[in-house]
Amino acid sequence: MAAEAVTAASLCNFSGSNVGSSTRPPLRCFLLSPSTSLRRHHLHQQRSLTSSFVGAQRLTPSKSTSHFQKRNLSVFAMAATEDSKRGVPLKDYRNIGIMAHIDAGKTTTTERVLFYTGRNYKIGEVHEGTATMDWMEQEQERGITITSAATTTFWNKHRINIIDTPGHVDFTLEVERALRVLDGAICLFDSVAGVEPQSETVWRQADKYGVPRICFVNKMDRLGANFFRTRDMIVTNLGAKPLVLQLPIGAEEVFKGVIDIVRMKAIVWSGEELGAKFSYEDIPSDLQELSEEYRALMFDTIVDLDDEVMEAYLEGVEPDEETVKRLIRKGTIGGSFVPVLCGSAFKNKGVQPLLDAVVDYLPSPLDVPPMVGTDPDHPEIEIERVASDDEPFSGLAFKIMNDPFVGSLTFVRIYAGKLAAGSYVLNSNKGKKERIGRLLEMHANSREDVKVALAGDIVALAGLKDTVTGETLCDPEKPIVLERMDFPDPVIKVAIEPKTKADVDKMANGLIKLAQEDPSFHFSRDEEINQTVIEGMGELHLEIIVDRLKREFKVEANVGAPQVNYRESISRVAEVKYVHKKQSGGQGQFADITVRFEPLEAGSGYEFKSEIKGGAVPREYIPGVVKGLEESMSNGVLAGYPVVDVRAVLTDGSYHDVDSSVLAFQLAARGAFREGVRKAAPKILEPIMRVEVVTPEEHLGDVIGDLNSRRGQINSFGDKPGGLKVVDSLVPLAEMFQYVSTLRGMTKGRASYTMQLAKFDVVPQHIQNQLSAAKEEAVTA
Ligand SMILES: Nc1nc2c(ncn2[C@@H]2O[C@H](COP(=O)(O)OP(=O)(O)OP(=O)(O)O)[C@@H](O)[C@H]2O)c(=O)[nH]1
């Protein structure tokens, strides 16, 4: 199977020197970004805004909520009072993720973290395909991490929950999901490749969710490793402010360890095998001056965060280690800067200090703003949940996985309160109760049944029936809907058919399960062409779905050619009067409506509004109009694609005392839609992808020529270390199928690309004609 990106390793066959990048720290004295409190206030507001926006869109749960509340109150209360003694105080929790570009070493680093925290008994190497985090078969075969598995581990009496996040662009939704439930993150970079395109995407996503980060410059042992260049790229490519807390001792094959700028000590590893010992030593004399410069720079940066410390510092008193750590922690959590560390996960150097930094600098659930949700029955009312065991139970389901042993597992981040096995909770999005069968704490290669989970925990629940990703589970007595995630609509689809008739039910069952796990995956039955269609975020995404059908659900399927998810919309306002009349024999049908169709901003979807006055269309018939219009919206007039960004306003109409009915108005609405949309200058829209290609300079001409031939629009060019060029472009998705093979062929496998949805735009007229003709052909066939 073709992966959509070529590995970073294959790009970087240049020899490493520090060309163009100074080891010296940049000039001191720079302005800090907005103060901690300001930023947190902003973040808080941002979360609140999102939640009220989402709340307004959400369907209100049915009345059964309150009935259910009464019935199950006692069960919940009983279960929650069971033994729930907290082993680790909440302030010592770290819920973190590891984010990176593909192949930067996320899986290896996670594996090492699990080894050094003592939970991983037998370590797996990624290249041998046995890494324990990659527990799905095809991940092992492909050597890429697709799903986020949550793993609990312990370091220095701190409980660290790690959520593994995927690096591949087709799985950005997984990254978003993980970011939602994290309190902090490690951002990994390959010290040879520096900041790569996918890291930029993930970095922006982390900005969106206000996730504090520390950076780990990995692979310092590789040929071409360059710590300082990566630090510079954190400034130029990510617009972030790095705070260098470690300097490498050597690089490439003579990489020995790191200098700890906080303690002013060298940390040197005795070997490179798993479990190699390290010792604190004096800083090598050739690095003494540089270390002092970076220490001074660190002081300059952190003292700004505390007036008293600043005053003392200006008078020549350096803050002590405890104060330094406190201020680094404050600045990291407040987003003033990002600590930068380095090492080689593969060669077992730098992992323990990285774990110390997670504990020292990343936030606990108490350090981030309280979770804000809404009242299920009154979405306009906001409710806050402080991270505490004493608050009502509130948790968010962020991942569903099919486990071969336990069945379906729902991963939940508990924001507040306690959750007991055997208790009942409320799924407040659906207004349905769920019984908690088993509560499992997940480790990389083992799972532990626990009786009670507490605020801050990430646990897997077995036995839930109705809950899907993104939904809230809460105390039935104190219902809350936490923010829902926005899931992008799929951009690509393929027809799929089981190879044997006997597999029809099995396939349907598999598709239902997979769609529950992954909200960016949709499937539907197209009765017109008698086919099942699956939709997703990219070719690889759908290939993996088909692969999982085969492996997990034992369904062999034939798959059609991928197709783009086009949309239809209108360009101008048009009003139409439509009369539906049938009055020959028996009961007649009569409905008369006037509807105005108005174009809306991109991304607005579809809206209906009634401006009927004086009962021109009686109230009981309006649902008929709504239904008729809604049905038509899924089938545009040009080529049958869903219609978006349109408001339909019912402005006038008339009815007949005997012959009018809901059905007659429904049929009139369909007619009004057909005529009205035709008058409103309909258009077909296509997904346009932002495509970023990184290529050696000698292939730049070919890459650009090829993008142009794909209707691409080149936005900008840039330089990357090692004579690489970056081309930033917008290309219609329809032109990007199998791009990976073309790019490989054209550049001898030395270029890579990333791609994500940028916008929907109007297709050229000749393509519109082709799509309309194809639709007509399919209907007449
Ligand atoms: N030389 C060197 N190689 C490393 C290091 N860390 C990881 N690698 C190698 O880099 C390759 C990719 O590492 P992974 O850990 O799979 O990277 P990943 O970021 O999890 O990749 P995806 O799962 O595809 O996102 C593997 O062959 C690793 O052995 C390192 O510190 N030094």
Side-chain angles (χ1 to χ4, degrees), residues 490 492-498 507 511 515 521-536 542 545-546 549 558-565:
I492 181 172
K493 62 182 172 194
V494 296
I496 178 169
E497 193 179 25
M507 186 172 93
L511 292 175
F521 163 66
H522 296 192
F523 72 95
S524 58
R525 181 102 196 122
D526 190 334
E527 297 299 346
E528 226 169 81
I529 46 172
N530 198 22
Q531 261 179 345
T532 299
V533 172
I534 58 174
E535 299 174 65
L542 293 185
I545 296 281
V546 173
L549 272 179
N558 293 321
V559 180
Q563 286 173 32
V564 171
N565 269 354

Side-chain angles (χ1 to χ4, degrees), residues 14 125 261 366 370 545 551:
F14 56 92
E125 290 301 349
I261 298 291
L366 295 171
I545 296 281
R551 286 165 196 273

